[in-house]
Amino acid sequence: MKPARKWPVHPAPIEGEALSSWLHRLAAGFHMDTFELLQHGLGLHYGLADVLHNKALPSVDIEAPSGLIAGLAERTGVSADRIHAMTLAGWTPWLLDSVQPMAGAFHNYVHRSSVMHGPRSRAKTMEEEWRAWVPDHPIKRACPDCLADPERQGLLLMWHLPIMLSCPIHHRLLEPLVAFVGGPIWSKDSTDLEQRPSPAVLEMDRRTHQALTTGKVDLPRRSVHAAIWFRLLRTLLNEVSTPAKYWGPGTRGLRAAWAASGHRVRAGQGVWKPFEALRWPIQSQLLEAAAAAMDLLGRGAALGKGEEAALFSPEPERAVYAGSPPCKPNPPPKPVSVQVSTYEDHWAKIRESMEEIMEIARGDPSEAQVLYNFMLYGCRTPEAAERVLADFEELGIAIDQMEHKPPIGPYA
Ligand SMILES: [Zn+2]
């Protein structure tokens, strides 16, 4: 059999480019569309749905048929390994365990480590088939500065995934893109050009970029393999997304992270869903909260209760050299006075706790529902329940997303 002829001058893939984008650029060079290139340029007769369509991103960007990779390698001279790396299948098992959704995958990927939560807090999980990072809803984004560069006129694979908020090269937010046809067509939902990513977001995305380009990430205590980094990031995203009632000893740190992000607790989610099933506006806020949590840990401004929290914490200060001149002996410990809590102290604690509970309920409709259900236990009449709702409104707790009559109520 004669070896296939190499194509004449054709564009080389850009580092990190998605296979669908490169196919599109190759086809454009021959004045074809991608499907025509596959049929006439490569002699492949795939159905359109087999290669270009998918719920979230083009199926060739998830896993390309081996015949397509081999044909492209023959005609372009680009190695099959490099082409494989333009698909998510080329990133297994580092970025994800498998491109095929699998039962039990969520637990294996997300619950192997813990950062802010205590190590035994496994409140939210799913047994159904799942795969990491591949979104249920398409999220096409791109960096305007990258696309303004004549040498970088392609779309990167990671721009399809909810894993980064910014461009690590140009330090600006990725913008929603409608399509790339001869040039970018930006969505009217593009952010204000003056809006810059926070230092916390830039640092998180710098680490992800380092994982993607070097296979390791330098954390404050030590370097970790890229596979560990992607799992730590996904674990943290699950922790900031878990309903507040499961936060346990990590509550203080997680509340601080959400406050630093500037968003409502849990991005105002009602029912918990895995990160991949959420819409981009929620995913982007969860990424910001994860970045804020890492930043607080890195500055020693919050404590994580998980087993891997120390990886993000600053290096412990070295012990001071204790040679000559001799150190002053430590002063004797002061006697500890035993405090006896008074009745007023107990009420002060209850008031403080109520303030905290109401604050959580203001930012989280599911927590508002829990508080409402609890308050109903003191109500003997429907009118009393109405008064609870009026009190909620007065306290700034949204009631529009609440089920006002829980299935089991004191007067049901
Ligand atoms: Zn860029």
Side-chain angles (χ1 to χ4, degrees):
M1 205 171 96
K2 273 201 312 186
R5 274 199 311 149
K6 276 199 176 179
W7 284 334
V9 180
H10 55 265
I14 300 164
E15 186 175 358
E17 188 173 12
L19 181 54
S20 63
S21 167
W22 189 44
L23 281 171
H24 176 78
R25 293 194 302 124
L26 287 167
F30 297 115
H31 305 287
M32 295 179 184
D33 63 27
T34 303
F35 200 56
E36 288 168 337
L37 178 82
L38 296 180
Q39 290 205 316
H40 306 305
L42 291 166
L44 300 172
H45 297 280
Y46 300 122
L48 197 61
D50 294 333
V51 285
L52 287 181
H53 284 276
N54 190 274
K55 210 164 105 183
L57 64 167
S59 39
V60 282
D61 292 344
I62 295 179
E63 185 165 30
S66 56
L68 172 57
I69 292 182
L72 280 171
E74 273 184 339
R75 284 165 178 83
T76 63
V78 175
S79 76
D81 282 348
R82 177 143 192 224
I83 299 170
H84 190 48
M86 300 170 82
T87 72
L88 290 180
W91 285 89
T92 57
W94 313 126
L95 180 64
L96 61 182
D97 293 320
S98 163
V99 290
Q100 301 305 326
M102 286 166 48
F106 186 92
H107 178 78
N108 283 338
Y109 196 94
V110 178
H111 286 328
R112 285 292 164 106
S113 47
S114 53
V115 182
M116 303 302 282
H117 286 187
R120 276 173 292 283
S121 178
R122 306 282 190 253
K124 286 297 177 185
T125 189
M126 59 182 293
E127 304 300 328
E128 298 89 342
E129 292 185 340
W130 175 86
R131 63 184 165 191
W133 299 115
V134 182
D136 287 0
H137 311 284
I139 49 160
K140 202 178 227 177
R141 299 164 307 140
C143 167
D145 288 346
C146 283
L147 292 185
D149 180 347
E151 301 297 316
R152 299 182 62 85
Q153 295 286 301
L155 303 180
L156 306 193
L157 182 60
M158 294 303 145
W159 290 347
H160 291 297
L161 302 186
I163 198 167
M164 291 167 106
L165 288 157
S166 64
C167 169
I169 299 168
H170 297 105
H171 300 168
R172 64 177 298 171
L173 292 170
L174 300 175
E175 298 288 345
L177 184 75
V178 177
F180 190 87
V181 186
I185 301 169
W186 299 105
S187 162
K188 59 180 181 334
D189 297 333
S190 292
T191 50
D192 179 353
L193 289 180
E194 294 302 311
Q195 193 185 333
R196 292 277 152 183
S198 68
V201 164
L202 286 175
E203 178 59 11
M204 179 179 74
D205 288 347
R206 183 197 66 75
R207 288 169 172 168
T208 300
H209 184 66
Q210 190 188 7
L212 292 166
T213 52
T214 70
K216 70 178 182 77
V217 176
D218 298 322
L219 292 177
R221 294 287 178 94
R222 64 179 170 88
S223 293
V224 296
H225 190 284
I228 304 284
W229 167 256
F230 295 128
R231 283 156 182 78
L232 282 174
L233 179 58
R234 187 61 187 79
T235 294
L236 195 46
L237 286 166
N238 196 53
E239 291 178 344
V240 296
S241 178
T242 299
K245 63 184 170 191
Y246 300 114
W247 286 356
T251 298
R252 192 179 286 259
L254 285 160
R255 289 188 61 195
W258 275 110
S261 78
H263 298 297
R264 293 169 70 193
V265 171
R266 298 179 61 240
Q269 289 178 84
V271 179
W272 177 89
K273 286 181 188 172
F275 179 69
E276 290 75 12
L278 300 168
R279 296 275 177 183
W280 172 244
I282 302 279
Q283 290 171 330
S284 68
Q285 292 182 23
L286 291 169
L287 280 163
E288 285 187 63
M294 284 182 214
D295 179 58
L296 293 173
L297 292 175
R299 291 190 285 114
L303 283 179
K305 300 295 183 182
E307 286 168 328
E308 278 72 31
L311 285 172
F312 295 94
S313 305
E315 289 270 16
E317 286 184 24
R318 290 174 190 279
V320 178
Y321 173 59
S324 55
C327 298
K328 266 172 68 178
N330 288 335
K334 287 183 183 165
V336 179
S337 61
V338 178
Q339 287 272 330
V340 178
S341 295
T342 62
Y343 183 77
E344 286 75 21
D345 290 335
H346 288 303
W347 271 110
K349 279 182 198 159
I350 289 172
R351 277 195 294 275
E352 203 177 301
S353 300
M354 277 309 288
E355 270 306 321
E356 288 191 15
I357 289 167
M358 284 191 289
E359 185 56 36
I360 292 170
R362 283 185 193 106
D364 186 339
S366 67
E367 294 302 319
Q369 183 75 59
V370 170
L371 180 60
Y372 175 72
N373 293 351
F374 173 75
M375 299 292 282
L376 283 184
Y377 282 95
C379 300
R380 302 251 174 256
T381 63
E383 291 72 30
E386 289 295 317
R387 279 199 296 279
V388 173
L389 285 179
D391 289 344
F392 269 39
E393 287 205 289
E394 203 166 299
L395 290 164
I397 301 172
I399 61 170
D400 50 328
Q401 293 183 46
M402 286 192 340
E403 173 63 52
H404 295 174
K405 287 186 182 167
I408 303 169
Y411 52 81

